[in-house]
Amino acid sequence: MFQGRGVEIKTPEQIAIMRQAGLVVGRTLELMRSRAEPGMTTAALDALAEEHIRDSGAVPSFKNYHGFPASLCVSVGDEVVHGIPGDRHLLEGDVVSIDCGAIVDGWHGDAAITFGLGTLDPATDDLITVCENALWAGLAATRVGGRLSDVSAAVESLVRSRGDLGIVEDYVGHGIGSAMHQPPNVPNYGRPGKGPRLVRGMALAVEPMITLGSPQTRVLADDWTVVTADGLAAAHFEHTVTPTDTGVWVLTALDGGRERLAAMGVPFGGVE
Ligand code: MG
Ligand code: MG
């Protein structure tokens, strides 16, 4: 069923299938975090991910999406998003962002993590922490009765409170459900109290992209890889989330978001 402005409203049964897709994505990302090491190619990570997704009974949603050749986006260093896995070898000190999507019975999950290999300089470490905290601020604002831009404003305000980091505006989060990308767009900036009202059955992919320097980006000649225009590092975190009558359910978090939401005083709204 579609609400106004093309926003798809899911039944509880459909959300339950999205949770299954979300768990596949969450487990795949944890596998990537545990297996990534200096010397490994990004293509090797992608092969592991695809095998894990298919062995879980799911389909990697990125593969062949508008011609994208892999199951993961792996974006290293100054790459913000949409890096294509290949023969690049990971190095000690790299900032690695991994984005993953999976489909179960036609329903999608989409999430991303960023981590450092070995020891990072403190500013880059902080960039990663701020980006993840900004994601959770946005997730916590995904409440029935609120408005879409409350999520955007929560992300922006967390980043702004943590100093002089860039918020990428060229790419945004999105609705998700029977397709990976649906209305509405979910920018990582804006004033609260605007846009569609958040209702039960909506699902959003919230995904801040934060930079150490300027938020300006450009696309490499491969037509996919987005890099920072100034060559400084970027971080990217994402979860698929749904507001429920009892709170917030983070469909791609292994614990549904229980622990982080509790730490923020936000009720967990999952049905599990
Ligand atoms: Mg994604
Ligand atoms: Mg996404």
Side-chain angles (χ1 to χ4, degrees), residues 8-242:
E8 185 182 64
I9 304 301
K10 272 66 81 169
T11 66
E13 293 73 25
Q14 291 166 340
I15 293 287
I17 305 173
M18 288 184 70
R19 172 60 170 155
Q20 295 313 308
L23 283 171
V24 172
V25 170
R27 288 177 187 136
T28 305
L29 287 173
E30 283 316 305
L31 179 68
M32 297 301 100
R33 191 198 296 274
S34 68
R35 297 291 291 273
E37 58 181 18
M40 192 173 191
T41 65
T42 54
L45 278 178
D46 180 63
L48 271 175
E50 178 168 1
E51 184 184 16
H52 184 259
I53 292 167
R54 294 194 190 280
D55 284 352
S56 307
V59 175
S61 41
F62 295 4
K63 193 116 191 201
N64 303 318
Y65 181 84
H66 294 284
F68 191 78
S71 298
L72 295 178
C73 295
V74 183
S75 308
V76 181
D78 66 343
E79 297 174 352
V80 184
V81 287
H82 304 167
I84 303 174
D87 55 11
R88 178 180 190 145
H89 288 77
L90 297 176
L91 301 173
E92 174 88 15
D94 273 345
V95 184
V96 183
S97 157
I98 298 185
D99 195 341
C100 178
I103 312 167
V104 172
D105 293 341
W107 295 91
H108 288 249
D110 185 9
I113 57 173
T114 298
F115 54 88
L117 283 183
T119 309
L120 300 184
D121 65 277
T124 311
D125 240 354
D126 192 51
L127 171 75
I128 294 173
T129 303
V130 170
C131 190
E132 186 169 23
N133 289 345
L135 167 63
W136 281 93
L139 298 172
T142 310
R143 303 294 299 275
V144 164
R147 300 284 285 270
L148 181 68
S149 79
D150 297 351
V151 179
S152 306
V155 171
E156 176 172 4
S157 121
L158 189 292
V159 177
R160 301 286 179 231
S161 76
R162 292 294 298 273
D164 197 21
L165 297 169
I167 299 177
V168 172
E169 297 188 2
D170 299 337
Y171 302 88
V172 296
H174 49 92
I176 180 169
S178 61
M180 179 162 60
H181 293 127
Q182 302 180 323
N185 281 342
V186 187
N188 294 303
Y189 53 89
R191 296 156 61 89
K194 302 184 186 308
R197 197 159 290 283
L198 302 178
V199 298
R200 184 182 59 187
M202 258 186 199
L204 303 175
V206 182
E207 50 179 318
M209 288 147 263
I210 309 299
T211 60
L212 260 188
S214 158
Q216 303 305 319
T217 66
R218 64 187 176 89
V219 179
L220 296 185
D222 63 18
D223 278 339
W224 281 105
T225 311
V226 176
V227 298
T228 57
D230 62 12
L232 296 178
H236 174 217
F237 280 86
E238 178 179 23
H239 271 306
T240 297
V241 63
T242 189

